[in-house]
Amino acid sequence: MADFSYIQEFVQTFSENVSEVLGFDITILNENGIRISGTGSYKDSIGEPSPEGSYLRMIMETKKPAMIYDVIKNESQCMSCKFMGQCKVSASIGFPILKRNRSVGVIGIMGFSPEQKERIIKNSEKLIRFLHHVSALLENKLLLLDCSQESGREAYEDIDVLKNVSFDSIVGHNSGLQDVIKKARRVTNSPSTVLIRGDSGTGKELLAQAIHYESNRRKHPFVAINCAAIPENLLESELFGYEGGAFTGSRREGSIGKFEYAHKGTLFLDEIGDMPISLQAKLLRVLQERSIERIGGKKIIPIDVRVIAATHRNLEEMVEKGTFREDLYYRLNVIPLHTKPLKERRDDIVLFLKYFIRKHCRILKINELGIDPVLEQWLIQYDWPGNIRQLENAVEYMVNIAETDTIEFDDLPDYLNKQENFDCFRRGLSLEQMIAEYEKNILQTFYFAEPYRNDKEKISQTLQISLSTLYRKLDKYQLE
Ligand SMILES: Nc1ncnc2c1ncn2[C@@H]1O[C@H](COP(=O)(O)OP(=O)(O)OP(=O)(O)O)[C@@H](O)[C@H]1O
């Protein structure tokens, strides 16, 4: 479901325009009380939590608009605010932002001078009506975004894995996997950094999500960033954000980074081994000091983020070669978890096949398909280089392509065809014929491979058969 993090840029530009027209400062908080837009002095605290007990937070709770016009005397609304003594606001009107009647934020018109105070008091009704419209507009914007996300996702609606992930949504009985889950369960509520190691497509991100959604941070964002997919110069601003005008081409109003988005939640740093060494030092500082500085900014912004990092790289080797900082390695590797490749947990493949067949039949709204038992065995012994992701893609393909209510060999995708010889299964050949097929393939490969091409003596030596046997077989398979 969309929240303000999806439209932060829009909300900030909108606030600036409204502020210019009305002649007041504008600020908007999200449902966690984080400032997601602000003009004037509020601009400096975008991404930061607003003061606990502030009257804007109170509006979010009561879902009712409110006005203050004398902060010092207005005890009922400002008493519990930590910043009451230092507050420079002369008057303000706040209006809740609701989404389907649920409080998702609050917008405030803020006056500081006596003149602004007077205008707010004099025009309060009009301003409240105006804020009502703004609030409805923002609600519509979020709902529209939900719709566009939903239409892309509609087909997946019933599928467990796309709902809040839990450890129960991780498929697999394999004892190694269960040990990992057991360990992960124990550390869900700890703030300590987790480092998940494992090949691509082995469920590292899924495990990270399960840790987040089962932790006491679940109501706050799970933010993922792939350090390998973003160019070095952009990665820094993506992570830490920047102030307006921090560099050529940057947005006028600046931008908050993933660390700030993930405040109180979890930041998943995927492919951490690919993080440029120049950024590693900065990341280490953030992990140690629990605060960030935006690019071009001077302010220290405290952050409360749990970091889960993942990589398929051999970090120890990288440390030795000097391409990964040793101090960062130790800082990240506090709780190490390992996800195993499919070939080390073949006992789970049958479960995955059933799970993915069911999932994709539901997506296509067709009855659940069966699978040819010989094909099932073949899939179990197949060496899945792309792991679970590749297995799922293959199943998705087969479910789409199958013509009967059972998935057959003919339904296998071509890219699997090329890697393994299974034509023999397909045609229902006898064992003798299958062996012959296999033998022919081997001879063909050697006969045409560059270092052996036509060199029968070399081929016979390598395959440890006599030259005459080789001639006989080449003749049998008509390879000459
Ligand atoms: N145990 C599991 N149960 C169900 N689905 C799984 C499991 N493990 C992985 N998957 C699915 O396989 C796909 C790949 O998993 P994921 O993205 O978590 O892997 P990864 O190790 O983070 O991959 P990469 O390193 O390439 O980013 C996802 O669609 C995920 O939902």
Side-chain angles (χ1 to χ4, degrees):
M1 289 289 125
D3 57 35
F4 282 114
S5 62
Y6 290 80
I7 52 168
Q8 201 269 332
E9 197 183 337
F10 165 82
V11 173
Q12 177 60 20
T13 312
F14 181 78
S15 302
E16 280 174 8
N17 292 342
V18 172
S19 163
E20 238 173 86
V21 174
L22 294 185
F24 298 112
D25 276 327
I26 300 290
T27 189
I28 298 181
L29 310 182
N30 72 8
E31 62 188 302
N32 302 319
I34 308 288
R35 196 175 309 287
I36 44 137
S37 87
T39 61
S41 58
Y42 292 109
K43 216 169 163 176
D44 287 340
S45 57
I46 295 174
E48 284 177 19
S50 69
E52 292 290 340
S54 70
Y55 102 102
L56 286 181
R57 281 186 183 246
M58 185 201 73
I59 289 172
M60 243 189 308
E61 273 166 36
T62 59
K63 298 192 201 168
K64 293 205 168 65
M67 177 165 104
I68 50 167
Y69 51 89
D70 198 333
V71 174
I72 306 298
K73 286 189 203 144
N74 204 318
E75 296 181 349
S76 63
Q77 288 163 328
C78 299
M79 263 293 271
S80 52
C81 180
K82 278 204 298 192
F83 279 75
M84 189 177 150
Q86 305 144 39
C87 187
K88 304 243 172 357
V89 173
S90 60
S92 164
I93 296 179
F95 203 97
I97 305 169
L98 306 178
K99 188 172 149 196
R100 297 197 198 284
N101 215 25
R102 192 173 71 83
S103 207
V104 291
V106 58
I107 177 166
I109 289 180
M110 318 302 283
F112 292 91
S113 63
E115 180 272 326
Q116 284 177 321
K117 177 177 173 177
E118 206 182 308
R119 270 200 296 133
I120 285 180
I121 296 172
K122 199 166 145 208
N123 299 301
S124 61
E125 272 184 35
K126 271 192 221 153
L127 289 172
I128 286 178
R129 270 206 307 276
F130 174 73
L131 285 183
H132 193 151
H133 289 304
V134 171
S135 166
L137 179 127
L138 292 173
E139 178 184 17
N140 274 341
K141 188 95 186 153
L142 291 175
L143 290 174
L144 273 175
L145 212 64
D146 281 350
C147 287
S148 61
Q149 286 177 348
E150 279 307 303
S151 58
R153 229 192 273 179
E154 204 175 32
Y156 290 83
E157 229 166 39
D158 292 338
I159 306 306
D160 300 347
V161 285
L162 289 171
K163 300 213 175 111
N164 276 359
V165 178
S166 70
F167 291 117
D168 293 337
S169 44
I170 300 181
V171 176
H173 292 329
N174 175 275
S175 56
L177 175 77
Q178 287 307 321
D179 286 347
V180 172
I181 292 178
K182 214 157 112 194
K183 198 163 155 196
R185 271 187 202 279
R186 285 210 298 272
V187 299
T188 44
N189 287 331
S190 151
S192 305
T193 310
V194 175
L195 179 62
I196 307 178
R197 317 279 293 270
D199 290 350
S200 179
T202 50
K204 298 188 292 298
E205 179 159 356
L206 192 67
L207 185 61
Q209 286 178 346
I211 295 173
H212 170 79
Y213 287 111
E214 294 232 352
S215 76
N216 47 21
R217 295 174 173 265
R218 75 180 71 87
K219 290 199 178 130
H220 301 281
F222 174 89
V223 179
I225 182 164
N226 185 328
C227 303
I230 300 173
E232 181 170 348
N233 53 343
L234 286 185
L235 186 57
E236 185 175 6
S237 55
E238 279 290 313
L239 283 172
F240 307 111
Y242 59 86
E243 292 297 344
F247 48 84
T248 326
S250 62
R251 286 202 295 258
R252 193 164 50 92
E253 66 279 14
S255 173
I256 71 169
K258 301 285 187 207
F259 267 105
E260 283 177 80
Y261 274 133
H263 188 62
K264 293 203 169 162
T266 303
L267 180 62
F268 178 60
L269 296 173
D270 201 3
E271 308 289 8
I272 189 78
D274 292 73
M275 175 173 274
I277 196 115
S278 57
L279 266 188
Q280 291 175 20
K282 194 160 177 182
L283 175 62
L284 178 68
R285 227 176 18 252
V286 172
L287 294 178
Q288 279 167 348
E289 289 164 19
R290 300 274 155 195
S291 59
I292 59 142
E293 258 176 273
R294 292 192 199 145
I295 302 173
K298 293 191 186 72
K299 227 167 23 102
I300 309 278
I301 303 170
I303 43 130
D304 168 15
V305 170
R306 193 207 194 158
V307 170
I308 302 183
T311 184
H312 67 280
R313 292 196 184 276
N314 184 336
L315 288 185
E316 292 75 13
E317 212 170 74
M318 292 180 72
V319 167
E320 251 171 48
K321 285 189 186 147
T323 49
F324 200 83
R325 290 181 67 113
E326 190 173 10
D327 41 12
L328 178 61
Y329 168 77
Y330 287 117
R331 197 74 199 77
L332 291 173
N333 199 23
V334 183
I335 298 163
L337 297 175
H338 289 257
T339 54
K340 284 189 179 172
L342 262 187
K343 61 172 182 262
E344 286 176 35
R345 34 189 287 220
R346 289 192 198 277
D347 46 344
D348 277 343
I349 294 183
V350 174
L351 275 183
F352 276 120
L353 285 171
K354 288 205 164 49
Y355 176 76
F356 290 135
I357 290 174
R358 197 172 132 243
K359 169 177 169 179
H360 289 284
C361 288
R362 281 168 72 186
I363 290 171
L364 292 181
K365 297 190 168 59
I366 56 174
N367 288 335
E368 198 170 320
L369 300 178
I371 183 161
D372 174 343
V374 184
L375 172 61
E376 187 175 84
Q377 274 313 308
W378 187 88
L379 291 168
I380 292 170
Q381 58 75 38
Y382 184 77
D383 182 20
W384 293 96
N387 288 300
I388 301 157
R389 184 179 290 117
Q390 189 191 13
L391 173 63
E392 176 168 8
N393 287 349
V395 172
E396 183 174 353
Y397 176 88
M398 294 190 290
V399 168
N400 273 280
I401 230 72
E403 282 180 358
T404 66
D405 55 7
T406 303
I407 299 172
E408 315 272 359
F409 269 98
D410 275 337
D411 304 324
L412 270 170
D414 282 347
Y415 58 86
L416 296 186
N417 278 359
K418 282 174 197 141
Q419 291 174 30
E420 296 276 318
N421 169 27
F422 58 78
D423 271 2
C424 35
F425 288 108
R426 219 177 230 176
R427 288 186 245 122
L429 305 177
S430 68
L431 179 62
E432 198 180 334
Q433 286 167 318
M434 288 185 203
I435 294 171
E437 186 99 18
Y438 197 54
E439 189 174 63
K440 180 181 169 187
N441 254 337
I442 295 170
L443 290 170
Q444 202 164 20
T445 308
F446 276 89
Y447 195 65
F448 296 110
E450 210 30 74
Y452 299 94
R453 193 175 277 272
N454 279 329
D455 187 344
K456 298 188 184 67
E457 212 150 308
K458 199 169 174 181
I459 297 174
S460 66
Q461 272 166 18
T462 310
L463 296 179
Q464 299 170 38
I465 50 174
S466 70
L467 203 53
S468 58
T469 308
L470 178 65
Y471 271 110
R472 195 162 37 77
K473 289 189 187 288
L474 291 176
D475 185 48
K476 176 179 169 190
Y477 299 122
Q478 298 175 349
L479 293 174
E480 282 273 51

